[in-house]
Amino acid sequence: MGGLALAACDNSNTLVLDPNPAIRVVLDATACSSVQACGTCLLKAAAYDKNSKPAPFPTLIWSSGNTSRATVEQTGRVNGWRAGDVTIRVEVLETGAFDQVTFPVVVNPNISCTPPTTLMPATTRDPRGDGMYLVTRTVQSTEGSSR
């Protein structure tokens, strides 16, 4: 049976082959049993090779099953938006191994928030220089303070 060898460069620009790519990824959702609307929590993931050792070069891709309820950044930080269950998935780009977790987004009746507009490719001016625009979210407390 043939194997997959992935490559990366180390600090000396030497090509390093990874003969044991990540075949399993495990989510740690300890900090995200739920997330408040307008709040955040942090998911962690660990990738392992066929010998159950930490994989040295995995590229993890995070995604949300319902971005109107919660979004997830590529660091694993989950941003809650609207009430309901959301499934967050992390996948190893190189092998397709994945894990996912589902948890509720809980609404605080004293806070109303609006999810940010999705990042869109820049068509005119790009103030950050990264080719994308981000429209910030608005958070309004019904108790009178606004953030």
Side-chain angles (χ1 to χ4, degrees):
M1 181 169 147
L4 172 67
L6 303 174
C9 290
D10 64 12
N11 290 338
S12 65
N13 291 324
T14 302
L15 184 63
V16 179
L17 293 178
D18 182 6
N20 295 311
I23 62 165
R24 183 171 61 98
V25 63
V26 178
L27 267 173
D28 176 359
T30 305
C32 286
S33 58
S34 69
V35 64
Q36 294 286 324
C38 298
T40 64
C41 65
L42 184 63
L43 291 170
K44 296 179 183 177
Y48 299 94
D49 67 15
K50 66 182 179 184
N51 300 314
S52 296
K53 293 184 179 178
F57 304 114
T59 302
L60 301 178
I61 305 298
W62 295 86
S63 61
S64 169
N66 188 332
T67 56
S68 70
R69 291 189 179 151
T71 54
V72 62
E73 300 171 15
Q74 293 307 303
T75 59
R77 179 179 157 176
V78 176
N79 299 286
W81 299 114
R82 293 198 172 103
D85 289 346
V86 64
T87 299
I88 303 296
R89 175 181 168 123
V90 63
E91 180 176 344
V92 178
L93 177 66
E94 295 87 357
T95 62
F98 73 92
D99 195 5
Q100 61 189 32
V101 63
T102 300
F103 54 87
V105 177
V106 181
V107 172
N108 178 340
N110 296 322
I111 297 177
S112 169
C113 65
T114 304
T117 302
T118 305
L119 286 171
M120 302 296 290
T123 54
T124 54
R125 284 181 7 117
D126 175 14
R128 292 189 319 231
D130 63 1
M132 305 295 270
Y133 286 110
L134 174 63
V135 178
T136 58
R137 66 181 176 166
T138 302
V139 178
Q140 177 68 46
S141 169
T142 57
E143 295 174 346
S145 65
S146 132
R147 293 180 253 165

